[in-house]
Amino acid sequence: MPTLDRALVRALSRFELLNENQAEATFSLPVDESRISGELSFDNPALRAALMSYVANVAARGSPGQPLRLQLLSSSDSAHSCIHLTISHEIADVKSGNLFMAAVIDEYRKLLAAGAATDDVPARRHPGPALAAIRPEWYRPPTVVGRRARAYVDIARRMLTRDRSMVRFAPTAKDVKGNDFFHAVLPTALQEGIQRTARQVGVTINTVFSAALVRYIAAHQARPEKRATYSFALSLRKLFGPDHEDGFRSYMVPCTLRLSDRSDTHALLQEVDRRTRALRGSGLALELGRMENAVRLYRDGLPTAVVRWVMKRTQGTNIFYSNPGVIEEDFSSFGTSALPIRGSLAIGCLVHPYDLMFYTSTFGGRTQLDIVYRREAFDDITARFVTPFLGAVERIVADCDLTAPSLRPAAIAGHGQ
């Protein structure tokens, strides 16, 4: 068995959730290998197309016994490689994916050091208790019934409202289909400005990006007089405490906020922060109930068109934001220092009704903008989203530090344009 395949098998054995009722199917997974033409970099359309096609094919197979796949792409001259992990969003969040990839890297390093004679089985180190085990009080029958009932009432209310933020993007030609992604590392000055703004106002970096998104949506939505509606991923890991920070499971709850674009930047940042904090407290039950009801909606066998229509009206936006924060796992090299990792990105599963999902992860001290989007919705991702969104970020920074020099270079260099 090739070394990478063995590293995958050994990494799988570390995670309890991946060994529950599906050991045979999971452990039989090979590494899927392919070659691409051109340079192995994120600005190569051939690489992006290969990655997006692989994701689409994995989603189409949808095997419950195979929650993850590992893809190895090599350049035509075999000089460089790209390791691509795709993992089911139903069982794992971004943090879980990072933990698994770090385990593969670690096992690969050990195999290179020890040679083919290594046959020991790694101990399982990453339990993944379900929410019901972590917070049993949330799953008492009266609590569940009450939560889902309130969520159904909220869903009905959202079905009737016209308060939605569907951003109108410029579509491409009708024959353009599928997904693509954009990747860019933010300029150092802009990263420092974002951090400075968060400290000055007493909010999180996530709040700065969220406030910029509110302003972007307010300026570009189909009905500018409406409040800006956006959806984002809320992690429960910090809420659960350090005992569950390294748990392997999905601890994300999709949430939706509607906010007005306040002209006072400080007031907008504080409002975003206040509303987000409320979702971690009193507002969490409603969002959790909405998520549970949405999952049931997809599994009830309703026609796809009906499910999509309901989700579009209840989510009220076609943009989704997730900020995994600082990536704590070491992705500087793949196993050994002789195999440096030149670039990393994380992109989510783009599901209806979203046309665009973006992440603002920090890898190795560098904050980056990673976007996955529907190609048919954009004629130019840089002009339609990247430039105006980062412009909104820059204006927030400038408003909070009027003495700061211009932080934007002549252009943001990125991939996937």
Side-chain angles (χ1 to χ4, degrees):
M1 182 184 294
T3 304
L4 185 57
D5 292 69
R6 295 185 66 206
L8 173 60
V9 170
R10 289 169 61 85
L12 283 164
S13 67
R14 292 190 183 188
F15 296 85
E16 294 181 1
L17 183 61
L18 297 177
N19 291 274
E20 294 177 1
N21 304 319
Q22 52 192 19
E24 292 184 4
T26 301
F27 276 79
S28 66
L29 284 180
V31 175
D32 297 318
E33 300 184 42
S34 61
R35 293 183 182 276
I36 65 163
S37 59
E39 183 182 1
L40 203 68
S41 64
F42 293 139
D43 61 352
N44 181 0
L47 174 61
R48 298 200 310 273
L51 293 172
M52 293 291 93
S53 176
Y54 187 79
V55 171
N57 290 335
V58 169
R61 287 195 296 264
S63 174
Q66 297 182 347
L68 60 85
R69 305 283 299 191
L70 199 68
Q71 182 185 21
L72 171 64
L73 298 103
S74 301
S75 57
S76 55
D77 60 0
S78 299
H80 299 96
S81 299
C82 173
I83 303 295
H84 172 216
L85 172 69
T86 177
I87 190 164
S88 170
H89 67 276
E90 294 184 356
I91 69 163
D93 52 21
V94 176
K95 175 66 174 181
S96 297
N98 291 336
L99 289 169
F100 185 82
M101 181 61 83
V104 173
I105 292 173
D106 184 50
E107 293 299 337
Y108 191 74
R109 174 187 60 80
K110 291 178 180 178
L111 288 170
L112 289 180
T118 301
D119 292 320
D120 63 300
V121 178
R124 296 182 185 178
R125 304 176 186 174
H126 296 286
L131 290 180
I134 300 174
R135 290 289 187 271
E137 67 275 14
W138 290 0
Y139 291 89
R140 298 188 181 106
T143 303
V144 173
V145 172
R147 177 172 67 234
R148 292 184 178 176
R150 290 193 299 274
Y152 275 125
V153 171
D154 183 71
I155 289 172
R157 179 183 62 79
R158 296 188 184 208
M159 289 288 291
L160 297 174
T161 185
R162 295 184 179 181
D163 198 0
R164 298 183 181 87
S165 293
M166 308 307 290
V167 177
R168 288 179 177 171
F169 304 117
T172 54
K174 291 183 178 180
D175 59 341
V176 176
K177 301 293 182 183
N179 297 341
D180 200 350
F181 67 82
F182 174 96
H183 165 76
V185 176
L186 300 187
T188 301
L190 184 56
Q191 295 182 48
E192 293 173 348
I194 293 168
Q195 295 168 2
R196 184 172 60 250
T197 296
R199 290 194 303 268
Q200 289 173 343
V201 184
V203 297
T204 64
I205 289 175
N206 182 80
T207 297
V208 177
F209 283 116
S210 295
L213 180 59
V214 169
R215 287 193 166 167
Y216 170 83
I217 292 174
H220 294 83
Q221 63 186 346
R223 303 182 66 176
E225 75 279 5
K226 297 294 184 181
R227 293 179 295 173
T229 301
Y230 75 102
S231 294
F232 65 101
L234 180 68
S235 175
L236 303 182
R237 289 179 181 270
K238 301 297 184 182
L239 184 66
F240 295 154
D243 290 343
H244 298 287
E245 287 187 7
D246 287 340
F248 183 86
R249 194 178 284 267
S250 180
Y251 296 122
M252 305 295 288
V253 177
C255 300
T256 300
L257 285 179
R258 290 187 174 96
L259 300 102
S260 297
D261 176 15
R262 295 170 179 258
S263 58
D264 185 321
T265 296
H266 283 78
L268 175 61
L269 289 167
Q270 290 166 353
E271 178 68 4
V272 171
D273 182 69
R274 184 187 68 81
R275 295 284 301 277
T276 304
R277 287 178 182 273
L279 288 176
R280 290 191 174 93
S282 59
L284 181 59
L286 177 60
E287 296 296 335
L288 182 58
R290 280 171 29 83
M291 181 182 73
E292 292 168 336
N293 290 346
V295 170
R296 291 185 63 184
L297 186 66
Y298 274 103
R299 293 176 176 173
D300 281 346
L302 294 174
T304 301
V306 173
V307 175
R308 290 185 172 183
W309 178 69
V310 172
M311 293 302 297
K312 182 177 180 178
R313 294 183 66 86
T314 56
Q315 292 303 105
T317 180
N318 55 341
I319 296 178
F320 191 93
Y321 171 47
S322 180
N323 182 5
V326 177
I327 306 304
E328 299 170 326
E329 290 70 33
D330 182 10
F331 293 145
S332 60
S333 63
F334 198 90
T336 71
S337 58
L339 298 170
I341 296 177
R342 299 190 300 172
S344 302
L345 64 82
I347 52 177
C349 180
L350 192 61
V351 298
H352 193 85
Y354 304 113
D355 292 315
L356 181 149
M357 175 188 288
F358 71 100
Y359 283 55
T360 51
S361 310
T362 299
F363 285 89
R366 304 189 308 167
T367 300
Q368 55 194 50
L369 178 65
D370 296 329
I371 305 167
V372 60
Y373 62 94
R374 300 191 193 282
R375 295 176 64 215
E376 58 264 39
F378 293 88
D379 59 349
D380 187 331
I381 185 64
T382 303
R384 301 297 175 183
F385 181 77
V386 177
T387 298
F389 172 69
L390 291 181
V393 175
E394 179 188 348
R395 288 190 293 274
I396 287 174
V397 171
D399 285 348
C400 294
D401 188 359
L402 297 179
T403 62
S406 177
L407 301 175
R408 175 179 291 281
I412 295 290
H415 307 302
Q417 300 173 44

